[in-house]
Amino acid sequence: MHKITLIPGDGIGPEISEAMRRVVDSTGIKINWEVQHAGADVMSEYGTPLPDHVLESIRKNKIAIKGPITTPVGSGFRSVNVALRKELDLYACLRPCFSLKGVKSRYSDIDLVIVRENTEDLYAGNERMIDDDTAESIKRITRKASERIANFAFKYAIAENRKKVTAVHKANIMKCSDGLFLESARNVAKNYPQIEFEDRIVDNMCMQLVQYPEKYDVMVLPNLYGDIVSDLCAGLIGGLGIAPGANIGDEIALFEPTHGSAPRYAGQNKVNPTALILSSVLMLKHIGEKEAAEKVLNATAAVVEEGINVTYDLGGNAGTSQMADAIIEKIQNLG
Ligand code: NAD
């Protein structure tokens, strides 16, 4: 029996979390889901969007999966998602981006992996108003975090039989901060001679990914570029509805889709549960449930390829729960 913390999140989070949970349970593996709530809805009760007991549950179980949580824009509380990654030192954000057959996209054979540094950079939100008309945000990059994420990218490349790691930066302009990130990646690369290494300036990387995605394999990026390039890569495979992810630390892993809480679709049983379901595939692999992971992956890919019981973003009319039902039926048929 696995004990896993499940944070449904808000917006579309609860619907896709329920779909994911039903799909995973249908594989027959035994999971005790410890449901914990975070975000704006718990503010009035606990005075914080991320109560200590939520962190404690994840620290105890070591494995968590979550739906997206809304972050107020401009003012209000800081991102719960970023806080979770920092508090639990989930330093590596892993986002595999691969084409699924049957999805309408300009590209058909995308197979890219984003490894995003998760703990520092402008994402730390270290900013202030200097005066009424001047704002400042501090970009802090450390050798320790840069080497750690580069090592993660190379180890991942070896474990997954990948060929190349590309470090992405803007070291021509931010010679200090991005320069340190690049220098760290270059130094780490020397320890992995079996994996090809190169670097790209982030703007060029974006153009290259749109024009020649087949030239790239694993990319390692500082936090903010990783965030932006993740959505670009989701666009290459047909949208955020099918882009999974994981936040991984030395002891704890937290799985979540690349997309956010899409508030305007909340409660409509409309959005695609695939990104969270594919995040659960990463989770099942991580906890050693390889057979269940394969079942969920194959069943999801089959439903997407058939294109009948799929959500609006994939050209269908099915709701979130109907798509989950179709995936469960496939899992049962797969035996
Ligand atoms: P979003 O990812 O929530 O949605 C952007 C658009 O992508 C949606 O309007 C929709 O068209 C599409 N989309 C997203 N998920 C989909 C799905 N499962 N199926 C089909 N289509 C889908 O981005 P946003 O609107 O910029 O952000 C909304 C909120 O989510 C913000 O508060 C943001 O801070 C938060 N957010 C949270 C996380 C997280 O929890 N890790 C990540 C990103 C954004």
Side-chain angles (χ1 to χ4, degrees):
M1 171 79 81
H2 302 278
K3 202 161 183 192
I4 293 175
T5 303
L6 169 60
I7 304 174
D10 55 29
I12 58 170
E15 303 158 56
I16 57 172
S17 294
E18 182 55 20
M20 178 279 300
R21 170 152 71 163
R22 289 200 295 119
V23 166
V24 172
D25 284 343
S26 77
T27 64
I29 62 161
K30 295 277 172 269
I31 294 181
N32 177 355
W33 302 97
E34 197 169 291
V35 177
Q36 297 286 352
H37 296 283
D41 295 347
V42 303
M43 276 287 275
S44 56
E45 195 175 344
Y46 299 104
T48 165
L50 182 55
D52 282 347
H53 60 261
V54 177
L55 287 167
E56 276 320 304
S57 166
I58 303 175
R59 286 199 181 100
K60 175 172 57 84
N61 295 331
K62 308 269 188 275
I63 304 290
I65 186 161
K66 66 178 277 293
I69 297 174
T70 306
T71 309
V73 175
S75 59
F77 62 79
R78 301 268 295 277
S79 165
V80 172
N81 312 302
V82 175
L84 277 165
R85 296 168 197 158
K86 281 195 79 172
E87 285 289 327
L88 302 168
D89 201 21
L90 305 173
Y91 59 87
C93 178
L94 181 67
R95 289 175 165 169
C97 265
F98 50 91
S99 298
L100 288 170
K101 286 202 181 89
V103 176
K104 276 208 193 81
S105 163
R106 289 162 202 263
Y107 307 86
S108 53
D109 283 316
I110 301 292
D111 187 11
L112 295 162
V113 179
I114 290 192
V115 175
R116 164 188 174 190
E117 204 288 322
N118 236 358
T119 64
E120 53 182 28
D121 191 3
L122 286 166
Y123 244 77
N126 187 357
E127 52 176 13
R128 64 180 180 129
M129 294 302 297
I130 292 173
D131 59 45
D132 282 352
D133 303 312
T134 316
E136 175 184 80
S137 189
I138 294 174
K139 174 167 167 136
R140 188 187 178 95
I141 299 280
T142 64
R143 190 181 303 279
K144 183 177 169 226
S146 303
E147 288 186 353
R148 186 163 70 159
I149 197 67
N151 270 304
F152 182 95
F154 280 99
K155 283 186 180 144
Y156 176 87
I158 290 169
E160 297 292 323
N161 212 10
R162 297 271 171 172
K163 304 283 173 273
K164 183 166 79 171
V165 171
T166 305
V168 184
H169 60 87
K170 188 81 184 174
N172 51 332
I173 302 299
M174 280 161 279
K175 296 178 194 295
C176 244
S177 52
D178 280 22
L180 178 57
F181 181 83
L182 177 58
E183 183 192 316
S184 305
R186 280 187 176 141
N187 285 339
V188 168
K190 290 179 192 146
N191 300 326
Y192 303 91
Q194 65 275 52
I195 302 289
E196 190 188 338
F197 175 73
E198 63 178 12
D199 70 275
R200 289 283 178 278
I201 293 172
V202 63
D203 38 353
N204 179 30
M205 183 81 243
C206 291
M207 188 200 71
Q208 295 273 328
L209 283 170
V210 171
Q211 282 199 304
Y212 314 108
E214 70 284 356
K215 286 191 181 171
Y216 297 92
D217 190 348
V218 177
M219 289 167 280
V220 60
L221 312 91
N223 209 337
L224 182 62
Y225 308 147
D227 178 47
I228 296 165
V229 175
S230 290
D231 275 34
L232 189 156
C233 288
L236 297 179
I237 59 170
L240 282 165
I242 54 175
N247 302 292
I248 299 174
D250 286 333
E251 288 191 4
I252 298 172
L254 168 68
F255 298 81
E256 64 176 339
T258 297
H259 67 72
S261 57
R264 67 192 167 115
Y265 292 110
Q268 296 174 33
N269 187 36
K270 187 168 173 177
V271 296
N272 195 339
T274 301
L276 186 56
I277 291 172
L278 292 179
S279 303
S280 81
V281 170
L282 299 176
M283 179 185 79
L284 291 168
K285 272 175 79 175
H286 187 87
I287 62 175
E289 294 285 359
K290 294 214 167 60
E291 208 178 305
E294 296 245 310
K295 273 189 201 171
V296 175
L297 176 61
N298 293 341
T300 307
V303 168
V304 170
E305 186 172 1
E306 281 171 12
I308 301 163
N309 290 303
V310 294
T311 45
Y312 77 96
D313 55 316
L314 300 181
N317 296 315
T320 310
S321 57
Q322 287 76 40
M323 187 163 176
D325 290 341
I327 295 170
I328 290 166
E329 199 181 317
K330 280 268 182 288
I331 288 173
Q332 278 151 6
N333 291 342
L334 288 170

